[in-house]
Amino acid sequence: MNKVLFRNCRFLVAQPTPFGGILENGALYIEGPIIKAVGPTAEIEMQYGAQEGVDVVDCQNKLVMPGLVDSHNHVGEAQMFLIFGWLMSPLQGIVDTAIRVLWPAYNWFTDESVYDLTLFGLLNMLKHGTTTYANAFPFPDTVYRAAAYAKMRAVIHAQMITSVNLPDARNEQEYLALAEDAIKSYHNTLDGLIQIGVHPSATYNCTQSMLIKGMELAEQYDVQYATHVAEAPDEKSRVDVTWAAEGGQLQHLKNIGLMSPRSLFFHGAALNEREIDMLAETGTALAHCPPTNSILGNCAYLPYMLQAGVKVGLGTDCPTHNLFNVMLSVSQQHNVMPREMRGLMPWTPFELATIGSAKALRLADTIGTLEPGKRADIITVDLRRNTNLFPLNVGNLLTFIAFNGPGTEVADAMVDGQFLRRDGEFTIFDEDAIIAKAQAWCDKFTADWFAAQESGQPMFNRVHEEYQRL
Ligand SMILES: [Zn+2]
């Protein structure tokens, strides 16, 4: 059995609080995939250090903490930024973004390109400390194959949509069948490393019957139900008009049974206090993604959400971002939003990027803090040459990670007790090869885009308008 001892940790963040959660000169002992003990180095070393075959990692210059947890990402989506480069006018909201940027770029996907671009997204995440990710994406078989290769912890939110034809399925029935197959084949596999969730893309681009049947599927197999809700002001005003007779969008979603402890809503950036209360009352979790929300002109009312008791995690919503950046965004945006409640406790961004996201993904018993009995998902930052996380002490540490963390690359990253990155080197990924393949796809897609523009062919097939009552 794999035995690892992290000793002499300059700082060991066991819990997301400066009040007793951070050990100086702490140690952590792992057997197999499980954390067995956390405590002062002298104590842990005396108990476990003398055994045969213990892999001892000296951390006297390292910050050791829980792997970050990304509660919302579209991991294989890097190629959509090609189209951002070709846009000649500002985006007009979320549906405009989907039609001009997302769906044309999704229409390029094949099993092969999804696999290669997913590995590219995972490489970026792991380098920046994310060990668990939620991946809202079509092509569940391919996404699973990439997840199994990478050995990071994954919640695959199998995307379904009816308003457009994407290359992996054509309609409601096919998508529901694809999601059910993914659940049966992959849910809770690889010793629990991979979970599957049902994911109608958004409440305005799927038929009501797909939204409802998706929830029935999630209930039947006891998996998560995840969808985009109230991402942007343009969407929110349109859906509230669509469902005015029912009392607005959120009341409608509650009425049809889509709000429960099984549910995870992405964004909720345009929700008001009354609607946030509904999230709290129904146990619906929320993935807060401030960098992408700000591009569309708004920001979720996080201080109110936390006061109301909503389970909030952080998401990048984007494979080329990382959670250190998102933590900075959280620290800044809620101080400047013109709302009654402003500001957050200094350690809140870190808390949300770890145990907060774990709760949102229904994984809080497994990951999110470093404590005995939990899975050994751990990252370290080498502080020897680190000029941004300086000077550190127990009081400022969690604040500095959020304020000064962007750009941080981790020295080590471990999932289930296995090193996926050690002393700055990946153990599974071939970084140069993965980047080269992603670049080759982007070069091909660029050529395809210009060819399609020249021939006047549509970049994707629209099936129905958004914001329908059907
Ligand atoms: Zn999203």
Side-chain angles (χ1 to χ4, degrees), residues 200 207-217 225 256-258:
T207 56
Q208 298 306 299
S209 91
M210 181 183 266
L211 294 176
I212 293 165
K213 285 176 188 162
M215 179 52 93
E216 288 167 0
L217 190 62
Y225 183 89
I256 61 173
L258 300 195

Side-chain angles (χ1 to χ4, degrees), residues 72-74 77 136 199 201 228 231 266-267 289 292 317-318:
H72 180 49
N73 200 330
H74 307 275
E77 196 181 73
H199 168 44
S201 169
H228 292 80
E231 179 168 0
F266 304 140
H267 305 299
C289 314
T292 50
D317 195 23
C318 167

Side-chain angles (χ1 to χ4, degrees), residues 83-101:
I83 292 183
F84 267 116
W86 298 327
L87 287 174
M88 295 298 152
S89 57
L91 295 168
Q92 299 299 314
I94 186 59
V95 172
D96 181 50
T97 305
I99 289 173
R100 283 206 283 159
V101 178

